[in-house]
Amino acid sequence: MKNLTAQVQMLGGFCLTIGDVSITNKVQQAKKPWTILEYLVYYHDREISADELVDVIWSDDNNVNPTNALKTLIFRTRKLLEPFNLSTQQLISQNRGSYCWNSEVPLSLDSSEFEALCEQSKQPGLTEAQQLEYLLQAIRLYKGDFLPKIAWDPWVIPVSRHYHTLFVHAAMQAIEILLKEEQWDSIIELCRHAITIEAHNEDFQYHLIYALYCNGNQRQALEQYRIMVDSFYNEFAITPSERMTDLYKLIQDQEHGVNTDLSLIQKSMQEKREHSGAYSCEFTVFRDIYQLEQRAIARTGDSIFLGLLTLALEDGSLPKSSVLTRAMGHLGNAVTSSLRHGDVYTRYSVSQYMLLLPSASYENGEMVMQRIIRNYKKAYLRKDIIIHYSLQAVAPFESDS
């Protein structure tokens, strides 16, 4: 077994390679033998007692005979190593009741290399270019979190958190350096990779959208913003920050260039898809329309009402994410179909819609809100979700002068 080095992937999944042969747990197989192998490989620099392995595998099972169960499991673990055509008894050694990976077959772990590169990037005296090179090498190695198939095993959780924290820190450091150099393509590539690992990190989303915008891809930036908003609402129940909505408004305001042909400008402003219901817009746009209406009613004296619809369980708490996503989809459809073509609404939070109702009276506004709720209940029969609504007249704009 001399001159053999086993290459090990632990970030983003487990794969053990010796020579030209690889084994991986991507296929559906029993979990426990792989867990034993992964544990012995990760802690390859020490002997692991039988009691420690039993605690890793059967910490919550008091009905197991640990001595016999562990012997059986070690046998099944060694069976996983048979494709290498090496002595599996030697690859996993046993010594006086303890087990370890045989040091005669050295292991090269991507997790260890990743951490070493992160540490090298902190060396004093490095130029920013040298620091960036170390950081980018580390980021490329990080294909995903540590052993994701057993992410919730007690021994994996702190290890995974450690590497994940290192990754986020390395990515943000690299972004800061790339921003100084205005290397937009590199920022876009880095952020897209980072988002596959942590989609709800607003910093990664923000810098991706900003880099797309600075690189001249305003439409892609706006599309990425909309994807991010939908993901934050539906998957993570997170509302985008004011910083993010301000960036959206900046990009939207500057999407168009100089054009003196008014007919072309009108054509570019027309809706690109048929829309039979009310107008749905981002909150920043809704806010501008609200302020415009404030100014209009100050001059005309007309009335307009602001409505708010909120979904909640009977005790006032939020439903679980999958239920909330479905319910908010049905409520959005009910709002669209219940309002007039020229009415405007927006999603205000993970569980709320806000709308503007040009109405002659509060009673008319209430009728509209009740119609929305009826249409929602026709489409979605779940009874444990309650819709609360509130309605308030929009106050006219008052100038300081």
Side-chain angles (χ1 to χ4, degrees):
M1 294 194 293
K2 292 182 178 180
N3 302 320
L4 285 176
T5 298
Q7 303 295 325
V8 187
Q9 177 190 343
M10 305 198 90
L11 300 173
F14 182 79
C15 181
L16 175 63
T17 302
I18 301 177
D20 297 328
V21 179
S22 298
I23 61 170
T24 178
N25 66 346
K26 288 181 180 178
V27 294
Q28 286 296 108
Q29 291 176 305
K31 172 187 170 184
K32 289 184 175 67
W34 284 104
T35 301
I36 288 285
L37 179 58
E38 289 157 359
Y39 196 83
L40 291 173
V41 164
Y42 185 68
Y43 293 108
H44 61 277
D45 54 352
R46 65 183 179 88
E47 291 188 349
I48 312 295
S49 70
D51 288 343
E52 184 175 340
L53 289 176
V54 168
D55 190 54
V56 167
I57 301 298
W58 294 289
S59 58
D60 298 327
D61 192 344
N62 297 320
N63 298 317
V64 170
N65 181 326
T67 303
N68 291 336
L70 183 59
K71 286 180 180 177
T72 301
L73 192 55
I74 291 293
F75 173 79
R76 293 169 62 195
T77 302
R78 284 173 168 149
K79 293 282 285 183
L80 299 175
L81 301 170
E82 287 181 347
F84 296 124
N85 290 320
L86 298 170
S87 171
T88 58
Q89 294 284 336
Q90 290 179 286
L91 286 177
I92 295 179
S93 302
Q94 184 177 359
N95 181 31
R96 290 175 297 182
S98 294
Y99 299 89
C100 66
W101 181 267
N102 192 330
S103 59
E104 290 186 19
V105 181
L107 293 170
S108 175
L109 276 61
D110 62 346
S111 53
S112 299
E113 187 179 350
F114 165 75
E115 185 164 15
L117 287 165
C118 290
E119 289 301 314
Q120 286 175 301
S121 73
K122 301 173 186 176
Q123 295 174 87
L126 290 180
T127 65
E128 284 197 334
Q130 292 169 326
Q131 184 185 20
L132 180 63
E133 182 56 35
Y134 283 124
L135 290 169
L136 292 179
Q137 285 183 54
I139 291 163
R140 282 192 288 269
L141 266 181
Y142 200 92
K143 296 179 173 62
D145 287 335
F146 181 80
L147 297 181
K149 290 195 78 170
I150 54 171
W152 298 110
D153 280 19
W155 75 273
V156 172
I157 292 171
V159 178
S160 180
R161 187 182 300 123
H162 169 69
Y163 291 125
H164 185 93
T165 301
L166 284 179
F167 169 74
V168 172
H169 184 66
M172 289 306 303
Q173 279 188 304
I175 288 169
E176 288 173 12
I177 297 171
L178 292 168
L179 281 169
K180 293 178 186 177
E181 302 296 324
E182 298 186 355
Q183 295 187 37
W184 308 122
D185 286 333
S186 296
I187 295 172
I188 291 166
E189 181 183 356
L190 192 161
C191 287
R192 288 197 190 281
H193 172 60
I195 286 167
T196 64
I197 292 160
E198 191 174 325
H200 63 279
N201 185 306
E202 192 178 273
D203 285 329
F204 295 150
Q205 294 279 3
Y206 181 91
H207 289 299
L208 172 58
I209 294 167
Y210 182 70
L212 286 167
Y213 163 66
C214 291
N215 212 28
N217 300 315
Q218 283 90 344
R219 297 210 172 178
Q220 285 186 42
L222 291 173
E223 180 60 24
Q224 181 62 36
Y225 176 85
R226 295 185 185 103
I227 291 170
M228 180 272 302
V229 167
D230 287 344
S231 173
F232 276 27
Y233 280 144
N234 297 330
E235 296 180 41
F236 306 111
I238 300 172
T239 303
S241 68
E242 186 174 352
R243 174 184 74 154
M244 188 66 86
T245 55
D246 286 345
L247 176 60
Y248 170 81
K249 191 172 185 302
L250 170 70
I251 298 169
Q252 191 179 55
D253 287 346
Q254 297 189 20
E255 185 184 8
H256 55 269
V258 176
N259 193 337
T260 58
D261 189 331
L262 197 55
S263 63
L264 289 177
I265 293 173
Q266 285 199 63
K267 189 174 181 180
S268 70
M269 291 192 295
Q270 290 174 358
E271 289 190 72
K272 294 179 173 59
R273 57 192 174 103
E274 293 185 5
H275 202 310
S276 58
Y279 177 65
S280 171
C281 60
E282 300 291 338
F283 175 72
T284 51
V285 178
F286 184 90
R287 182 177 58 195
D288 289 344
I289 295 172
Y290 173 87
Q291 293 170 359
L292 186 62
E293 294 288 356
Q294 274 191 307
R295 291 172 178 269
I297 60 177
R299 185 182 72 254
T300 64
D302 293 339
S303 64
I304 185 168
F305 284 84
L306 181 68
L308 183 67
L309 292 154
T310 303
L311 282 177
L313 295 174
E314 292 175 343
D315 63 0
S317 64
L318 284 178
K320 64 180 183 180
S321 179
S322 59
V323 174
L324 183 60
T325 298
R326 194 176 306 112
M328 285 296 284
H330 285 294
L331 183 55
N333 291 337
V335 172
T336 303
S337 61
S338 302
L339 298 181
R340 294 169 299 187
H341 191 71
D343 292 336
V344 179
Y345 73 97
T346 189
R347 187 162 178 173
Y348 181 64
S349 74
V350 294
S351 62
Q352 294 175 300
Y353 284 103
M354 195 155 51
L355 41 128
L356 285 172
L357 301 172
S359 303
S361 66
Y362 180 87
E363 289 72 20
N364 286 346
E366 275 206 314
M367 288 173 59
V368 173
M369 301 298 270
Q370 291 289 352
R371 183 165 68 245
I372 292 170
I373 293 171
R374 283 197 305 273
N375 288 336
Y376 163 81
K377 288 182 176 178
K378 287 179 186 176
Y380 196 51
L381 302 177
R382 192 169 180 133
K383 299 189 184 307
D384 59 335
I385 299 179
I386 309 299
I387 301 181
H388 305 279
Y389 76 84
S390 54
L391 200 62
Q392 194 173 90
V394 174
F397 173 77
E398 294 183 5
S399 175
D400 292 333
S401 57

